[in-house]
Amino acid sequence: MGSAKLEIAISGAGIAGLTAAIALLKHPLINVHIYEQATELKEIGASIALGPNGLRTLERLGLEHAISDEVCFRGASNIPMIYRHWKTNEILSQDFHENVPEYLHHTARYHRAHLQEALLQNVPKEIIHLRKRFKDVSLNDERVQISFEDGSVATADILLGADGLRSGVRSFLVPELELKWSGWTAFRAIFDFSLVKNIPDLPPDSIHWIGPQTNFFASRLGKNQFTTVGGYSSDPDGENPPFNDVVWDQEASVKYLREIYKDWNPVVKALAEATPETRYYPNFSIAGPLKSWVFGDHITLIGDAAHAHGGAFATGGSIAIDDAYAFSLALNHVFPPSATTKPSSTEIGKALRLYEATRKPHAEKLLNIVHIANKKKAANVGKEVTDEDLRSLAVNRPDTVWLHEHDVVKAFEEVVHRNESGKDAISARL
């Protein structure tokens, strides 16, 4: 193998794929190519929040600009989320950072396109290949061969599937795995803050209004943008539930949004009236956890491709970023920058399983919580919710500190320690 570089192909140029590329390119003996099915790099999906864990990881990668106030928004109080009553507008509860001393690690909110642009500034344009819709992959002579729908082929030592919720890589490798709709369909919008800045009593922080049958979210974003998010809950297993046939980013009826919230408190009603247009985002997750994230010692998955959970607790972006970083940590562990030869298949397999052991339990804990919550919500659709119940729900929310303040480096080091001490013999499973 000589001094040849390790070749890594990444399927998908979203937040997970770009972060992985940035981390991997810091290694002098790794080459990266990103294959993206889109004809242009244009992120959809409206707003996105990054918690302390994701922001900390981006800072570790030297991406201070991407987490600066030039790109994202942090509320005036630096409280991650404030929960208010749908009718009275009174504060019912608040989230707090527990151990986040650094300002730049406080929860931040972005237009997804602005976050993607900030990441793209750190990725060489020549390594991104557009119009490359994944078709299939095979393993030949300890290298992966990736075929695309346009008839072209690429080869690499590792394929990293970072192609999102409807991952082509995952679908090819695990065709039996299904996506499950939770019954929730979000109506999301992004527009200039000037459209709402004069609304009386508009809170300066990110607000989640809790109602008896639905919720409403509003927040400023970076670069003087604003987002509103309404929605509708259905029983996904009911007979012909509303919105069961809409698709991601489909144009929605802003009149319907306004109708849903016409009897809410004056601030929410005014926000709905000021929203110029909105789009549908049906909520999907994978129906169950994957048996493994590693395939043939040369292929693995990150982000929604591995563990799509529907964006619960606004943690999807940060989890994808931490996945990408953990993957780079694992490769650096078995293939340090001082190496003189490319890692063997066995060493690559060990790296992929170190990554999996670091991230899979964490992601599956979240996925299990989401599935339980989704079943409960579906069972309660149409049932009367008293004001007492609503207030109790606001106060007794799940603790998410373990998610938002998770330290991926510490988690990786613990996995390595367990493996090297014989408590978790990852290499024995290769």
Side-chain angles (χ1 to χ4, degrees), residues 112-253:
R112 289 184 70 100
H114 296 160
L115 177 56
Q116 185 185 46
E117 289 168 4
L119 296 176
L120 278 168
Q121 292 175 15
N122 300 273
V123 179
K125 292 182 180 179
E126 61 270 17
I127 73 168
I128 302 176
H129 311 276
L130 302 177
R131 301 180 179 85
K132 296 296 179 182
R133 182 181 292 274
F134 175 89
K135 181 180 180 183
D136 59 46
V137 61
S138 59
L139 185 61
N140 300 302
D141 297 324
E142 298 187 349
R143 283 174 65 82
V144 291
Q145 179 171 295
I146 309 141
S147 299
F148 302 99
E149 293 289 351
D150 65 359
S152 62
V153 174
T155 59
D157 297 297
I158 299 172
L159 170 61
L160 183 60
D163 47 349
L165 173 69
R166 300 187 183 278
S167 167
V169 177
R170 184 191 66 229
S171 295
F172 177 78
L173 296 168
V174 194
E176 68 275 14
L177 185 72
E178 296 181 347
L179 297 177
K180 182 171 178 58
W181 178 45
S182 70
W184 170 256
T185 300
F187 312 146
R188 304 171 67 106
I190 289 183
F191 47 87
D192 196 88
F193 176 56
S194 63
L195 296 182
V196 297
K197 69 177 183 179
N198 294 324
I199 290 176
D201 301 319
L202 180 68
D205 294 289
S206 301
I207 306 295
H208 186 107
W209 284 272
I210 300 178
Q213 294 296 331
T214 188
N215 303 311
F216 190 87
F217 170 75
S219 177
R220 289 190 64 177
L221 307 174
K223 298 192 175 184
N224 211 39
Q225 296 294 290
F226 197 89
T227 185
T228 57
V229 184
Y232 188 94
S233 287
S234 305
D235 178 357
D237 299 318
E239 184 177 351
N240 195 29
F243 306 108
N244 69 325
D245 57 350
V246 302
V247 298
W248 188 264
D249 199 44
Q250 178 181 329
E251 184 177 357
S253 169

Side-chain angles (χ1 to χ4, degrees), residues 271-309:
L271 285 168
E273 290 290 338
T275 299
E277 60 182 4
T278 188
R279 307 187 78 82
Y280 293 127
Y281 292 92
N283 182 266
F284 282 91
S285 64
I286 57 173
L290 291 167
K291 182 178 180 180
S292 176
W293 293 2
V294 179
F295 307 88
D297 287 348
H298 290 262
I299 304 169
T300 193
L301 307 169
I302 65 172
D304 279 352
H307 49 70
H309 68 278

